[in-house]
Structures are given as C-alpha cells and as structure tokens.
Amino acid sequence: MTPPRTAPSMSRRGLLTLGGALGAGALLAACGKDDKGAGNRAGDPSGPGGQRGPWTFRDDRGVTARAETTPRNIVAYVGTAAALHDFGVECVGVFGPTRRKDGRPEVLAGELDVDKTTVIGDTWGEFSIEKYAALRPDLLVTNMYAKDDLWFVPEDSREKILDLSPNVVGLAASHTSLPAVVQRYAALAASLGADLGSRRVTDAKARFERAAESLRRAAGERRGLRVLAVSASNDLLYVSDPKVYADLTYFKELGVELVTPDKVSGQGFFENLSWENADAYDADLILLDNRSQSLQPADLKAKPTWRRLPAVRAGQVVSWAYEPRLSHAGFAPHLEALAKAVREAREVKGG
C-alpha cells in the first residue's frame, strides 16, 4: 500500500503500486487467550472478559453487528488484527500487507505471529475467497479511511466476501484524532471478550499517556520547529495533510507544528510534488513513511533535490508509521521517538 487512504479507485490503485508491485479444520480455533494473559477466549464465560448471550457492536458506519454469541472466528485487516492482538483478541486470518519480500513481517503486523495466522491476501486486490470461506468467519473487521469504505476489501469481490460473514465491522481511522480511534478499538476488543483491566493492557495505556505528555513538553520547548510528513516514490513526493491523518492530528493537538500543504489532491490526503519541487515547503524535521512501498533514506540518496533539503542535510529525518498500529501498545513507541526527535532537532529552514 502507498500514500492514499481513500475509497477504491483507479487512481488510488495505481498509487498503491508505487515503488514496485506491491485445510481449514485446524484453523477454526480463534480468538483465544494470548500467552501473556492479555485476554481470554471470546465468548468463554470462564475468563474475566468472557461473555454469554447475545453480542452487539455498532461500527463507525452506524451499522450494528449482532450475533447470538460472541464471535470467535475473526478475520481482519492486518493492522486491525495487530491492534486487536494488543488488547488481547486474536484473529484466525488476516488480509493486507503482512510480509515483506524477504519474508519478514511487515511493520504493520506488529506483534502478530504471522506464521500462525492464515494470510488471505498480501497485496492490494488480493483476497482468497476459498481461504476466507474455509475459516468459517463469523466476523470481518477492517479500517475505513474514506467514509463507509472497507479498507482492503476488494471492490470486485466485496459482495461475495461480505456474504460469507454474518457480521462486518468498519472502524474509522481518519478525519479524527488518534486517541478516539484507539478507544474504538478498545471498545471492540472488550465486546469480544478482552480484559482491558489486564496488566499488559493497562501498562501499555500508561506508557502511551507518558509518551504523549513527553511529546507535549518537547513541542512546547521547541516552538517554531516545523515538521513535514511525507511519503516518497520514484516520481513524486507526497506531502501529507495533518487534518486528515489521525496520528498527525494528534501530534498537532500535542503542539507539534506540522506543515499543511497548500494544494491537497482531489483525494484529499496529500499534495503531489514533482521531485523538482520537493523543496516547496520549509521544514526542520521530516517524518518519512516507513512502509516498504515508500522509498527509504538509502533509496532517496539518488534524488538530488532530496539530498539538498535542509532537514536531510542536517540528518533530521525520522521514520513515520504512515499506517500506525491503532492501540496504546502499538503507538506509544512512535510518540516516544517523535518526542526525542523534536527535542533534539535544530531549526534549519532555508539551509
């Protein structure tokens, strides 16, 4: 996946490929307690988070999912599954970018054990109906970056996919602030049997809150420091609009002075800059999309205009989780890293 976070379209499908082409019986045990005791089997009343009887959850489309018992066979977008795992809920299957070309898990997979999870599709548009049906899913969960659009559920087979699961939950992941998104994940996890009072979950939340306060203090100490969030491809540099992204919105709320592009594209998420115009915005610190689909610092050395950017020359480029893991455990390290980067950066605008 690459920069766009919008409803499926030919233009987004093209951008999603920037930088390169982007036996079920044993798999029916789902949503169990993890080895750290962060949750319990959803629907099992023996554990502290277990639930009997009817299950309901109203998602961010305004659709209420209903079942006679708590769903057990959950299939989710990989980032969604990683966030649910952090709260103590496991999924039997995932779809979306799960492994890198070298076989390592993608950053978005977080602490998921991808070797023990069925991967239904690893790239944009790839979703195995056969593997999905074999898992006998009773709940499908994914993010939504555009209103009511189920992220990474292919349009051409969406009807078949949705017909195979009695319930679908979509959670908004843009045009809001990150804590609100994390809270929605926590609420879904709790409804599925997670114990939000477990030590693992409460420790992660405490770390998140400490990290947020650290970033707030750092931003206050470094007023005037301008931060630019970008993704890079061979042809274009994408400058992200902080008003759209949940994490960037939160950074701004904490006092980080993020650059807002002047000419956001029709898709509404970023401005496309040719490499000749890569210096259109002054910035002291650059947040660079860390996904494998986006060019990384080693790749960008071949771009003269990149090398000439003041922040790059000053060595003030830090990794940015363009698609963050939407949990306290997943996001706390990013807050900590940004607080450190902001505190240590110096103003270098104009050279």
Side-chain angles (χ1 to χ4, degrees):
M1 192 179 60
T2 47
R5 291 176 165 182
T6 59
S9 66
M10 287 302 294
S11 60
R12 185 179 72 173
R13 190 172 295 115
L15 285 168
L16 284 167
T17 60
L18 289 173
L22 285 173
L27 296 170
L28 295 179
C31 297
K33 182 174 183 176
D34 68 29
D35 59 1
K36 296 183 181 178
N40 61 276
R41 185 175 300 279
D44 179 355
S46 64
Q51 298 179 10
R52 291 183 183 273
W55 172 85
T56 64
F57 186 85
R58 185 175 174 84
D59 76 358
D60 293 339
R61 299 171 298 166
V63 175
T64 298
R66 302 179 187 277
E68 292 184 1
T69 59
T70 305
R72 297 166 61 89
N73 288 359
I74 303 171
V75 174
Y77 177 61
V78 61
T80 302
L84 289 173
H85 168 85
D86 291 337
F87 286 112
V89 173
E90 304 302 335
C91 298
V92 291
V94 298
F95 54 94
T98 307
R99 290 188 182 276
R100 297 174 182 263
K101 290 181 180 179
D102 61 7
R104 291 179 299 146
E106 279 282 3
V107 173
L108 192 57
E111 296 182 7
L112 289 177
D113 187 343
V114 297
D115 292 326
K116 295 181 179 179
T117 306
T118 298
V119 179
I120 292 168
D122 202 51
T123 60
W124 179 255
E126 181 181 278
F127 195 110
S128 171
I129 299 291
E130 292 76 17
K131 287 183 179 180
Y132 183 59
L135 292 175
R136 299 180 186 175
D138 46 25
L139 177 62
L140 174 72
V141 190
T142 189
N143 295 334
M144 298 187 300
Y145 291 107
K147 182 176 173 56
D148 297 344
D149 182 66
L150 300 171
W151 185 235
F152 255 80
V153 179
E155 241 181 336
D156 56 1
S157 56
R158 184 167 298 184
E159 187 173 344
K160 286 184 180 179
I161 293 167
L162 300 187
D163 282 347
L164 286 170
S165 174
N167 281 298
V168 177
V169 165
L171 296 177
S174 65
H175 297 88
T176 185
S177 184
L178 188 121
V181 182
V182 172
Q183 182 55 42
R184 290 291 284 153
Y185 270 93
L188 175 60
S191 81
L192 293 169
D195 178 9
L196 299 189
S198 71
R199 180 67 178 270
R200 175 182 171 183
V201 174
T202 58
D203 282 355
K205 184 176 181 181
R207 180 182 175 185
F208 176 93
E209 291 170 347
R210 289 194 302 271
E213 184 56 32
S214 177
L215 179 55
R216 188 191 304 278
R217 289 197 304 270
E221 294 164 4
R222 302 309 314 278
R223 295 187 188 281
L225 189 82
R226 288 169 58 84
V227 181
L228 185 72
V230 302
S231 299
S233 74
N234 283 321
D235 299 321
L236 297 169
L237 183 70
Y238 302 89
V239 178
S240 295
D241 185 352
K243 297 190 299 295
V244 177
Y245 297 82
D247 56 342
L248 300 184
T249 295
Y250 189 43
F251 296 158
K252 287 197 65 149
E253 290 171 356
L254 293 173
V256 178
E257 297 183 28
L258 279 150
V259 174
T260 298
D262 297 326
K263 300 176 181 178
V264 176
S265 73
Q267 292 181 326
F269 288 80
F270 45 80
E271 179 176 354
N272 305 335
L273 294 178
S274 66
W275 280 108
E276 291 78 7
N277 296 313
D279 61 354
Y281 299 102
D282 286 335
D284 306 302
L285 177 65
I286 294 176
L287 308 184
L288 180 64
D289 182 352
N290 68 0
R291 294 170 304 160
S292 57
Q293 296 92 330
S294 177
L295 298 185
Q296 299 304 302
D299 309 310
L300 289 166
K301 288 180 180 178
K303 302 288 186 185
T305 48
W306 172 261
R307 296 198 308 268
R308 289 197 295 268
L309 294 175
V312 175
R313 291 168 57 190
Q316 295 178 175
V317 178
V318 296
S319 176
W320 171 40
Y322 184 96
E323 268 198 278
R325 205 161 93 228
L326 298 167
S327 66
H328 296 118
F331 202 73
H334 300 299
L335 288 168
E336 293 165 349
L338 183 55
K340 182 176 185 291
V342 168
R343 192 171 285 115
E344 295 178 353
R346 59 187 177 86
E347 293 189 28
V348 294
K349 295 191 291 282

